[in-house]
Amino acid sequence: CAKWRNGAGGICDMDRYFEKTPEVRKYDWTGFVRAPADGVTVVSKIRGEVEKRLASDKASTPMKAGDIAKVGDTVATGFDSSVWLNTGFGSIIVQPLTQLRLDKFELNALRRSGRAFLSTGSVGAIIQQPAVIRSDFSVATPSGANASIRGSEMQVGYDEVSKLTTVFVYEDKAYVQGGADQEETEVSEGKKITVDENGSVLSQENLTETDRAGRPIATVRPRTKNRLWVGGGVLVLGVLAIFGLAGVMR
């Protein structure tokens, strides 16, 4: 922030110099707050006890809606607690009893990319894929597993006891690679895959009803509601047409 200290204008925020005041964005839960930017995510929704540990500090501080989390920070959730992070190109949902370190967030005109390290727990991600800009997000775990998506939706869980990493794919596809594997494995929508403690990818399985029930609610696409609305509208119109026809035949 030397430029700012020397009177060059702009602002000094998060130990970085900005030529102008950062853009703001309105969320239903928080009102107008700092918008996501290169290296910065914004808490758009929070439930229960959530803390953030800064990259430069071992102490943890409570988080609230509207707060920012930047590259290097670790987000930790308590029992029955969760937090929704807006990246500017998608959402990351940190589930209960989870520790997630934010390793990379790149947001510019050419690329939108994110990477995180999951120490324990579970994290969901939904990434938007614009037609002209590449967007991707990946999660690594202590077993050496790495799962990534490009314009799709997944959930990654890591169990400290069994040392197993499990990846659930709810939409489109994900790409999973264990530390012992030479190539990525493509995992299709409706499937899950496990990486063992030795970093080897095991066989794919279909998602169970329990797996689908564990899908983070925040990642459900609005278009699902639209389909229900349209379907309901068609049903109503169909019923009205039947009653109308019955009236004509009387």
Side-chain angles (χ1 to χ4, degrees):
C1 288
K3 288 185 179 180
W4 176 74
R5 294 190 183 95
N6 291 333
I11 65 166
C12 180
D13 188 12
M14 303 173 299
D15 299 325
R16 294 175 59 191
Y17 171 71
F18 293 87
E19 293 183 358
K20 58 182 180 180
T21 303
E23 176 191 355
V24 297
R25 184 169 298 172
K26 186 177 182 181
Y27 295 98
D28 293 338
W29 306 281
T30 61
F32 285 98
V33 297
R34 170 73 185 270
D38 195 28
V40 180
T41 65
V42 177
V43 175
S44 57
K45 189 177 181 181
I46 199 167
R47 182 186 68 184
E49 298 181 357
V50 179
E51 293 184 334
K52 175 180 68 174
R53 186 172 68 249
L54 303 179
S56 57
D57 192 352
K58 294 183 179 181
S60 297
T61 57
M63 298 190 76
K64 63 182 184 301
D67 281 355
I68 61 171
K70 61 180 181 176
V71 170
D73 292 346
T74 296
V75 177
T77 56
F79 178 76
D80 197 27
S81 302
S82 56
V83 60
W84 286 253
L85 299 176
N86 188 300
T87 66
F89 56 93
S91 297
I92 300 170
I93 302 88
V94 187
Q95 302 289 67
L97 300 175
T98 295
Q99 291 186 26
L100 184 75
R101 188 184 70 220
L102 309 178
D103 288 344
K104 171 189 174 184
F105 280 101
E106 185 179 357
L107 184 61
N108 55 53
L110 300 177
R111 185 180 177 89
R112 300 176 177 186
S113 180
R115 184 176 65 244
F117 182 80
L118 179 65
S119 300
T120 185
S122 180
V123 59
I126 182 168
I127 299 303
Q128 302 158 357
Q129 182 69 61
V132 295
I133 302 177
R134 176 186 170 93
S135 298
D136 60 79
F137 179 72
S138 63
V139 178
T141 69
S143 67
N146 187 80
S148 62
I149 53 175
R150 301 154 194 165
S152 50
E153 180 186 350
M154 70 174 178
Q155 181 166 305
V156 181
Y158 178 73
D159 189 317
E160 282 186 299
V161 178
S162 66
K163 311 297 184 185
L164 296 179
T165 300
T166 307
V167 181
F168 308 84
V169 183
Y170 296 113
E171 186 173 296
D172 197 29
K173 62 186 68 174
Y175 302 88
V176 180
Q177 185 170 2
D181 299 315
Q182 299 298 318
E183 298 180 351
E184 293 180 329
T185 298
E186 183 178 292
V187 187
S188 302
E189 179 177 328
K191 300 283 188 178
K192 65 179 178 181
I193 198 167
T194 301
V195 181
D196 67 20
E197 61 181 328
N198 298 315
S200 296
V201 172
L202 306 181
S203 60
Q204 298 187 38
E205 300 177 0
N206 292 325
L207 293 179
T208 65
E209 290 302 318
T210 302
D211 295 332
R212 295 182 186 279
R215 180 182 188 180
I217 270 191
T219 66
V220 176
R221 298 271 191 174
R223 69 185 188 194
T224 303
K225 297 180 180 179
N226 294 340
R227 284 176 185 162
L228 292 175
W229 185 90
V230 171
V234 171
L235 178 61
V236 170
L237 290 175
V239 171
L240 290 176
I242 291 173
F243 276 105
L245 180 60
V248 171
M249 295 177 62
R250 285 179 181 173

